[in-house]
Amino acid sequence: MNHDDLRYGNLKHMQTAWSEATPGVVHASWSGHRTACGKSVVEAKPVYESHPRDITCAECGATAVFDLNTAREHARAVTEKYEASGAIRHDFASSFREEAIEAIAPKAFEMRRNGESWNKIATDFLLIAASGEDGTSRFVGKVGQAVIDALEESEFPEGY
Ligand SMILES: [Zn+2]
């Protein structure tokens, strides 16, 4: 996933793009050379003809319609408390945040596009990833909920 400073305000610089690696899939690119999911671009539409509704790659779509940096910040607020208590290490915290975003954001993009509610997204996540009563499940659940809340807050409001 692309870690550049991409906020959905940057949609005005977004190009829908294609890669030879994934025939028929519509990606998003900000450089014109690489898709947000890291593939080489063979063809890209001009910015003025590019709209998030045309993106079919869930990872690129999530990068386009959510502010992933806000999600990182929200998740960091959770992991820093665990770090401060000595429960987890700093390097684990940062890699876990990224893994959580990479797992949740594309899924949220797909579910929102299918008309699912944020409540449904959060409920599914907790059932799948954090259904236990133990400390690990609580940690995963808190980080995931923080990410989901941030995606909801930062969601591109004009439809996709
Ligand atoms: Zn992509």
Side-chain angles (χ1 to χ4, degrees):
M1 187 162 287
N2 196 312
H3 298 169
D4 293 345
D5 186 28
L6 300 173
R7 292 167 187 270
Y8 68 69
N10 282 352
L11 273 178
K12 61 180 178 285
H13 303 298
M14 189 273 292
Q15 293 179 271
T16 46
W18 288 261
S19 170
E20 265 175 0
T22 54
V25 178
V26 184
H27 298 274
S29 178
W30 280 262
S31 67
H33 303 292
R34 290 232 156 239
T35 66
C37 63
K39 296 181 174 61
S40 299
V41 170
V42 289
E43 188 193 340
K45 268 193 185 176
V47 169
Y48 62 86
E49 287 182 8
S50 298
H51 190 281
R53 69 176 162 261
D54 298 323
I55 300 169
T56 59
C57 168
E59 195 174 331
C60 285
T63 306
V65 304
F66 303 127
D67 181 347
L68 301 184
N69 287 320
T70 294
R72 287 188 181 95
E73 284 161 23
H74 284 221
R76 185 179 299 120
V78 175
T79 58
E80 274 177 350
K81 285 184 191 146
Y82 281 80
E83 280 180 63
S85 74
I88 58 171
R89 289 163 50 98
H90 182 72
D91 52 352
F92 173 80
S94 64
S95 65
F96 186 81
R97 286 195 300 269
E98 289 305 315
E99 282 169 26
I101 291 165
E102 286 181 23
I104 295 168
K107 190 73 194 157
F109 173 80
E110 287 175 342
M111 289 179 74
R112 291 293 289 162
R113 184 170 262 180
N114 289 336
E116 303 282 7
S117 69
W118 283 104
N119 189 45
K120 165 82 170 143
I121 291 168
T123 304
D124 279 12
F125 169 77
L126 290 171
L127 277 175
I128 293 162
S131 60
E133 295 293 319
D134 55 300
T136 304
S137 282
R138 278 200 298 279
F139 169 71
V140 172
K142 280 184 189 174
V143 173
Q145 189 65 58
V147 169
I148 290 165
D149 288 346
L151 299 182
E152 180 176 5
E153 276 175 34
S154 68
E155 183 179 32
F156 176 59
E158 289 165 41
Y160 54 91

